[in-house]
């Protein structure tokens, strides 16, 4: 009983307390409300002052953000746009020093797992500096060829065309000894000449309306080479010939991949190439792949690194491997589909594996020193020696060739009167995917 009575008392007390707590709002009259309002305005509570200061801080933060955005946009505006003709080094157009990735193609079938492999992604992160260097060289190639295409016209001196192209490369790549520059001479082979022709000093060859010209030029950063070519023909009669090599090259790229046999790439290229025919001045020609010209693997400061990518069936069983660079190039011909060396030589290159060979002629020693300093194992032409101030060097150059230190690369020609077209890209077999580094909007 006693405990029950005390419980009732406690309940009564607690209900009274609740009533007392609820009562004050009912006791306040209208005037008091106004007074309370005045008080709350003149003396904000701790909670309200906290809210006010939070709002102020937020406003300040927004102002700072806006200022940052403004300064960022100002910085963005300061990034220059390329001029016409191009003169701004590509490195200045990409202040982040991150250059654009090429076209990405995924691996097929047995290599599909590579796309998502974390281990393979990590391998790529380690190779990032090399990827970035070769992408810079590719961006230079794209900008230079875009400009050259805009100025090409019949009547141009071939030597002027080459020098304009080469000087544009030198500017855009910020030429710097063996660290950055031209990777090999500008090939501008005409008609039945398939490759390795560039004018020597004093050459007066003029580009004609009915010419088919292969423009094959290279750029490099730290010896990481972009080898990329296209064909120019003003007369639309040659369009199917150009399309044959462009599509065959794209097929070669599509078929390439890690563990793919080189002979399989060649067979796919030939099938596409020989599905084309072209009518020239009323006569129909079946387009042929030039059977003794190939694509090739590319190494550091080494344009031909040992593997050949055939453009006909029946090639070798050697496989492409992870991490390799390849130049995938195809040549379409209306002639025999076979080239031989002909005409005056302009292209030369020091043998990559040439060790120390004693030379008797002082002039040959001196010329070799010039070659080592300026080109190392990259290809060069006579015009490049002229530009460096070398004179009367032909005897010394022949001596270097005879002793096996330097290799001459004469022009490669199909039968006279035929026409050859070429397209070429540099691809990289990355651990997770295939990157067509030199791909552009044009081809």
């Amino acid at each position: 009983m006693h405990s029950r009575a005390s419980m009732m008392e406690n309940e009564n007390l607690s209900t009274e307390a609740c009533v007392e707590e609820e009562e004050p709002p009912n006791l306040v009259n209208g005037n008091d409300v106004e007074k309370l309002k005045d008080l709350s305005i003149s003396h904000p509570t701790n909670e309200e002052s906290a809210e006010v200061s939070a709002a102020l801080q937020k406003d300040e933060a927004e102002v700072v953000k806006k200022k940052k955005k403004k300064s960022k946009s100002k910085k963005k505006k300061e990034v220059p746009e390329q001029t016409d003709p191009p003169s701004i080094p590509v490195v200045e157009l990409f202040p982040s020093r991150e250059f654009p990735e090429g076209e990405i193609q995924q691996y097929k079938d047995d290599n599909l797992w590579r796309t998502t492999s974390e281990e393979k992604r990590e391998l790529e992160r380690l190779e990032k500096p090399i990827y970035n260097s070769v992408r810079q060289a590719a961006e230079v190639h794209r900008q230079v060829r875009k400009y050259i295409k805009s100025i090409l016209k019949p009547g141009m001196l071939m030597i002027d065309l080459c020098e304009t192209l080469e000087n544009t490369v030198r500017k855009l790549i910020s030429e710097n000894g063996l660290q950055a520059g031209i990777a090999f001479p500008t090939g501008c082979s005409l008609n039945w000449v398939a490759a390795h022709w560039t004018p020597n000093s004093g050459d007066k060859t003029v580009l004609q309306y009915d010419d088919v010209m292969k423009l094959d030029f290279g750029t490099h950063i730290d010896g990481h080479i972009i080898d990329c070519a296209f064909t120019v023909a003003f007369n639309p009669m040659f369009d199917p010939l150009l399309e044959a090599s462009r599509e065959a090259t794209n097929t070669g790229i599509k078929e390439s991949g890690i563990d793919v046999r080189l002979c399989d790439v060649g067979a796919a290229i030939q099938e596409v190439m020989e599905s084309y025919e072209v009518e020239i001045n009323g006569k129909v020609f079946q387009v042929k792949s030039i059977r003794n010209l190939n694509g090739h693997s590319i190494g550091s400061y080494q344009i031909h690194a040992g593997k050949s990518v055939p453009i006909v069936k029946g090639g070798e069983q050697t496989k492409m491997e992870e991490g390799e660079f390849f130049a995938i190039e195809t040549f379409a011909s209306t002639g025999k589909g076979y080239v031989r060396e002909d005409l005056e030589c302009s292209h030369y290159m020091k043998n990559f594996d040439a060790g120390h060979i004693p030379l008797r002629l002082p002039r040959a020693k001196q010329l070799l020193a010039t070659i080592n300093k300026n080109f190392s194992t990259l290809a060069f032409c006579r015009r490049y020696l002229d530009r460096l101030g070398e004179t009367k060097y032909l005897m010394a150059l022949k001596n270097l060739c005879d002793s096996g230190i330097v290799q001459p690369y004469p022009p490669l020609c199909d039968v006279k009167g035929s026409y050859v077209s070429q397209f070429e890209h540099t691809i990289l077999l990355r651990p997770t995917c295939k990157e067509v580094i030199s791909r552009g909007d044009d081809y």
Side-chain angles (χ1 to χ4, degrees):
M1 280 288 290
H2 175 80
S3 61
R4 196 172 167 192
S6 63
M7 274 170 71
M8 283 176 72
E9 276 176 27
N10 287 342
E11 276 175 23
N12 290 339
L13 282 167
S14 63
T15 50
E16 276 172 32
C18 288
V19 170
E20 277 174 15
E21 275 174 23
E22 283 170 19
E23 272 176 351
N26 300 335
L27 296 171
V28 178
N29 63 26
N31 296 333
D32 291 335
V33 169
E34 290 304 315
K35 278 178 189 173
L36 280 169
K37 274 188 185 173
D38 289 279
L39 281 168
S40 70
I41 289 164
S42 56
H43 301 289
T45 65
N46 289 341
E47 282 177 17
E48 283 173 330
S49 60
E51 279 173 21
V52 169
S53 63
L56 284 168
Q57 280 174 352
K58 195 178 174 187
D59 287 349
E60 278 173 18
E62 277 175 12
V63 168
V64 171
K65 265 188 193 171
K66 276 179 187 170
K67 277 183 182 171
K68 272 188 183 170
K69 271 185 188 169
K70 272 182 188 172
S71 62
K72 266 186 191 170
S73 62
K74 272 181 192 169
K75 275 181 194 169
K76 273 182 189 169
K77 279 174 195 168
E78 282 165 22
V79 175
E81 278 187 13
Q82 190 52 276
T83 55
D84 185 22
S87 61
I88 299 170
V90 157
V91 78
E92 289 178 25
L93 303 177
F94 294 88
S96 67
R97 300 290 190 267
E98 291 276 315
F99 298 95
E101 198 174 51
E103 181 206 5
I104 299 300
Q105 293 187 9
Q106 299 304 337
Y107 291 130
K108 304 185 283 194
D109 311 328
D110 294 347
N111 276 317
L112 204 55
W113 63 273
R114 293 173 167 277
T115 312
T116 52
S117 164
E118 198 46 54
E119 182 194 349
K120 296 300 178 189
R121 285 183 190 174
E122 183 55 34
L123 277 175
E124 290 193 351
R125 281 192 280 274
L126 298 172
E127 294 293 321
K128 195 81 191 287
I130 290 173
Y131 296 174
N132 205 44
S133 291
V134 78
R135 284 169 188 160
Q136 182 183 350
E139 183 58 29
V140 171
H141 199 287
R142 279 188 287 271
Q143 293 196 18
V144 171
R145 72 195 192 220
K146 182 183 176 185
Y147 169 61
I148 291 301
K149 284 178 179 186
S150 75
I151 62 164
L152 274 178
K153 56 181 190 292
M156 288 181 89
L157 261 177
M158 298 299 280
I159 202 158
D160 292 347
L161 162 64
C162 288
E163 286 179 352
T164 301
L165 187 152
E166 288 156 0
N167 288 330
T168 309
V169 169
R170 289 183 179 111
K171 269 184 218 153
L172 299 201
I173 209 156
S174 313
E175 189 183 41
N176 175 26
L178 293 171
Q179 267 73 63
I182 293 166
F184 53 83
T186 306
C188 50
S189 310
L190 298 172
N191 306 325
W192 65 88
V193 184
H196 297 169
W197 187 85
T198 199
N200 285 324
S201 295
D203 190 290
K204 295 280 184 273
T205 307
V206 171
L207 184 60
Q208 307 291 333
Y209 174 76
D210 281 325
D211 282 340
V212 174
M213 174 177 67
K214 283 72 64 187
L215 256 184
D216 189 347
F217 70 100
T219 56
H220 84 94
I221 298 284
D222 295 323
H224 303 299
I225 299 169
I226 286 291
D227 184 358
C228 183
F230 60 97
T231 300
V232 175
F234 304 106
N235 191 333
M237 170 174 77
F238 296 110
D239 286 355
L241 182 69
L242 271 62
E243 195 187 327
S245 55
R246 186 168 52 238
E247 285 314 303
T249 295
N250 283 333
T251 298
I253 292 166
K254 199 168 103 235
E255 293 300 317
S256 296
I258 296 166
D259 294 331
V260 170
R261 294 183 304 180
L262 296 169
C263 57
D264 294 341
V265 178
I269 286 170
Q270 185 175 19
E271 188 179 347
V272 170
M273 184 77 85
E274 298 188 352
S275 68
Y276 283 86
E277 50 183 36
V278 55
E279 187 179 328
I280 296 169
N281 300 323
K283 191 178 176 191
V284 176
F285 295 88
Q286 156 89 59
V287 176
K288 295 186 179 115
S289 270
I290 296 183
R291 63 183 182 273
N292 60 335
L293 286 178
N294 306 281
H296 47 91
S297 56
I298 300 174
S300 182
Y301 293 100
Q302 190 177 21
I303 188 65
H304 292 179
K307 289 186 183 177
S308 292
V309 186
I311 61 174
V312 291
K313 62 178 182 283
E316 51 184 303
Q317 302 271 333
T318 315
K319 289 179 177 179
M320 294 178 155
E321 294 171 62
E322 177 180 297
E324 286 184 319
F325 288 88
F326 281 93
I328 304 293
E329 57 184 319
T330 71
F331 294 84
S333 176
T334 63
K336 281 197 162 56
Y338 185 87
V339 292
R340 63 211 147 67
E341 294 179 352
D342 195 11
L343 309 175
E344 184 178 63
C345 190
S346 56
H347 286 50
Y348 300 85
M349 185 167 68
K350 190 184 167 194
N351 277 332
F352 193 79
D353 303 315
H356 177 71
I357 298 168
L359 292 165
R360 294 227 312 276
L361 284 179
R363 184 71 184 90
K365 283 182 188 170
Q366 189 214 327
L367 183 63
L368 181 58
T370 297
I371 292 165
N372 283 336
K373 183 188 170 192
N374 294 281
F375 312 112
S376 181
T377 54
L378 295 172
F380 60 94
C381 62
R382 293 195 205 172
R383 281 187 295 106
Y384 295 0
L385 293 175
D386 301 334
R387 189 172 172 270
L388 292 168
E390 288 289 342
T391 56
K392 300 178 180 156
Y393 53 76
L394 284 177
M395 190 72 176
L397 186 55
K398 186 181 186 303
N399 183 249
L400 292 175
C401 292
D402 292 344
S403 62
I405 297 170
V406 169
Q407 182 75 33
Y409 290 88
L412 301 170
C413 309
D414 203 327
V415 290
K416 196 170 181 179
S418 64
Y419 294 94
V420 177
S421 81
Q422 172 204 16
F423 279 85
E424 175 179 27
H425 274 299
T426 296
I427 69 168
L428 166 57
L429 301 181
R430 282 167 48 181
T432 69
C433 62
K434 174 171 51 188
E435 183 173 346
V436 189
I437 314 172
S438 52
R439 181 76 80 196
D441 298 333
D442 45 0
Y443 65 91

